[in-house]
Amino acid sequence: MGRASGLLLVILALGFFFATYNLITMINHNRSVGKLITEDSNGKLFMDPVIEMPEEVKKLKTAKSPFHVALTATDAPYSKWQCRIMYYWYKKKKDLPGSDMGGFTRILHSGNPDNLMDEIPTVVVDPLPAGMDRGYVVLNRPWAFVQWLQKATIEEEYILMAEPDHIFVAPLPNLVHGGYPAAFSFFYIKPEENEKTIRKFYPEEKGPVTDIDPIGNSPVIIKKDLLEKIAPTWMNVSLKMKQDPETDKTFGWVLEMYGYAVASALHGVQHILRKDFMVQPPWDRDLGKTFIIHYTYGCDYNLKGELTYGKVGEWRFDKRSFLRGPPPRNLSLPPPGVPETVVTLVKMVNEATANIPNWDNQ
């Protein structure tokens, strides 16, 4: 190695050190003042004050860091058709430029194989013992991840925890930086506003409530070894939350999301929050440079293109309309004036259903 090459390596090493140090310093400062860190699709971290990510860290993103896509599912028709659409768009985006998507696993927590085993790569795990989920089927998710991580051979170093009602609208890169997982910030996960309840599971000696990120487990990209540590705690915390009547009433259908957020904090794991990770129509109107559409909310509009949320619209798309079977092919497009996110969602559903063989045979 020449003298010039050696000097270049030293400079690059120093650049990496200071970039990583600056990133960690920013995160720690941010936590100390109770602020949120977010990062956009251009690789910028935002907080107060606004600080741009060091160029050295941006350059590190060019290295290929594949992640395994994992989603938990049941064998109910409602779950099956969403998984089929999700897997269709995973395959369409996986090998495009900018993608770090690796392998794919549907973690089926019904305890028995189903008729999608040959269509979607699937690992079957056991559900919780009868009655333990108390009718809250999502409580099986952390237990499913615990089992999968123990029994599966996962080649990738990173894992994306996804859900059946996610559609990839763009190739997804690995958004992790410096070992810090990447997550989406949910406006309805509010640890500070629920401190009294949170303290039952996150005692004061562990740190301030602001250490708990406003997230759920999905979407999250995380190192496999970190998830192996968090998953059992996530399961135990979620079960304890469900067993506590006050907590169950307070957190309701997002209880398991709080379970993951608290479990992560108990292990000292903090996440970089990505606003561009996904959009949720109808509230998010523009796609921008997002990566995932999450169609958890119903989309109801009148024929003038006006949102009628809470009231069944003259035009609607709501996944809950199809609990017993898949939506038909060629859904009608929304009327003029409906936001881009909703139009794109319906078009992508239609493309998937038009191309998935035996769509109606579930």
Side-chain angles (χ1 to χ4, degrees):
M1 181 183 295
R3 184 174 180 181
S5 298
L7 180 61
L8 178 59
L9 287 176
V10 172
I11 293 172
L12 288 174
L14 287 172
F16 174 78
F17 170 78
F18 285 113
T20 304
Y21 175 80
N22 287 341
L23 178 61
I24 293 172
T25 300
M26 285 192 290
I27 290 175
N28 288 337
H29 168 72
N30 179 70
R31 294 295 176 182
S32 69
V33 295
K35 301 289 184 180
L36 297 182
I37 297 177
T38 60
E39 184 183 352
D40 72 1
S41 56
N42 296 316
K44 294 181 179 179
L45 288 179
F46 291 97
M47 54 185 167
D48 187 12
V50 176
I51 299 176
E52 183 172 348
M53 178 181 290
E55 290 295 326
E56 293 86 349
V57 176
K58 287 186 188 180
K59 293 175 183 177
L60 293 175
K61 296 176 75 171
T62 61
K64 197 77 174 174
S65 299
F67 55 83
H68 196 95
V69 180
L71 73 155
T72 54
T74 73
D75 59 359
Y78 176 68
S79 178
K80 286 182 179 179
W81 68 257
Q82 294 176 51
C83 288
R84 298 182 84 191
I85 292 174
M86 196 270 196
Y87 185 58
Y88 173 87
W89 283 106
Y90 155 81
K91 291 188 292 182
K92 292 274 287 188
K93 304 298 182 182
K94 176 181 182 294
D95 296 322
L96 296 180
S99 168
D100 282 323
M101 298 178 185
F104 186 103
T105 300
R106 179 181 64 134
I107 308 170
L108 181 61
H109 53 76
S110 63
N112 297 295
D114 65 4
N115 63 338
L116 296 183
M117 303 295 292
D118 294 332
E119 178 178 333
I120 304 175
T122 300
V123 170
V124 178
V125 297
D126 293 326
L128 290 166
M132 187 171 286
D133 65 9
R134 302 190 179 195
Y136 180 52
V137 68
V138 184
L139 209 56
N140 287 276
R141 182 177 294 156
W143 173 223
F145 269 106
V146 169
Q147 295 175 82
W148 176 62
L149 290 165
Q150 289 176 344
K151 70 189 298 184
T153 300
I154 306 161
E155 296 181 0
E156 296 86 355
E157 185 182 2
Y158 298 89
I159 292 170
L160 165 67
M161 292 187 282
E163 295 183 18
D165 59 355
H166 287 176
I167 291 179
F168 293 107
V169 293
L172 179 59
N174 191 333
L175 304 177
V176 171
H177 278 302
Y180 288 91
F184 179 79
S185 176
F186 290 91
F187 70 89
Y188 49 78
I189 302 297
K190 302 176 179 180
E192 291 179 76
E193 293 186 13
N194 293 284
E195 181 168 2
K196 180 182 176 182
T197 303
I198 289 287
R199 284 303 184 193
K200 294 181 180 182
F201 313 95
Y202 191 76
E204 291 188 12
E205 58 266 26
K206 295 297 295 185
V209 174
T210 52
D211 284 350
I212 300 171
D213 294 318
I215 61 173
N217 83 291
S218 177
V220 167
I221 302 178
I222 187 170
K223 272 193 170 183
K224 180 172 58 180
D225 59 353
L226 278 182
L227 184 55
E228 287 172 341
K229 295 176 183 177
I230 292 171
T233 308
W234 170 27
M235 179 185 71
N236 290 329
V237 169
S238 298
L239 287 170
K240 289 179 181 177
M241 286 182 171
K242 188 64 179 175
Q243 291 163 1
D244 181 72
E246 181 185 4
T247 304
D248 188 23
K249 182 179 179 180
T250 300
F251 291 158
W253 65 275
V254 297
L255 180 147
E256 169 268 340
M257 296 174 70
Y258 273 101
Y260 176 79
V262 169
S264 298
L266 286 170
H267 284 278
V269 176
Q270 299 169 340
H271 300 69
I272 294 174
L273 306 181
R274 297 282 308 216
K275 290 182 178 180
D276 59 346
F277 214 147
M278 70 182 188
V279 289
Q280 301 186 99
W283 310 117
D284 295 311
R285 298 177 56 86
D286 301 318
L287 278 177
K289 294 182 178 180
T290 195
F291 300 107
I292 293 171
I293 289 178
H294 180 211
Y295 55 100
T296 189
Y297 298 105
C299 301
D300 288 278
Y301 292 87
N302 61 29
L303 296 183
K304 297 179 182 179
E306 299 168 334
L307 183 66
T308 62
Y309 192 79
K311 176 183 177 182
V312 175
E314 296 172 281
W315 180 94
R316 79 175 331 219
F317 176 78
D318 188 337
K319 65 180 183 178
R320 296 163 193 82
S321 300
F322 310 103
L323 294 175
R324 299 183 179 181
R329 289 186 168 104
N330 197 28
L331 294 169
S332 64
L333 294 179
V338 171
E340 174 191 22
T341 53
V342 179
V343 176
T344 302
L345 167 61
V346 177
K347 286 181 176 180
M348 295 185 80
V349 168
N350 281 345
E351 178 180 330
T353 60
N355 289 282
I356 296 174
N358 303 312
W359 174 249
D360 298 319
N361 299 332
Q362 291 191 50

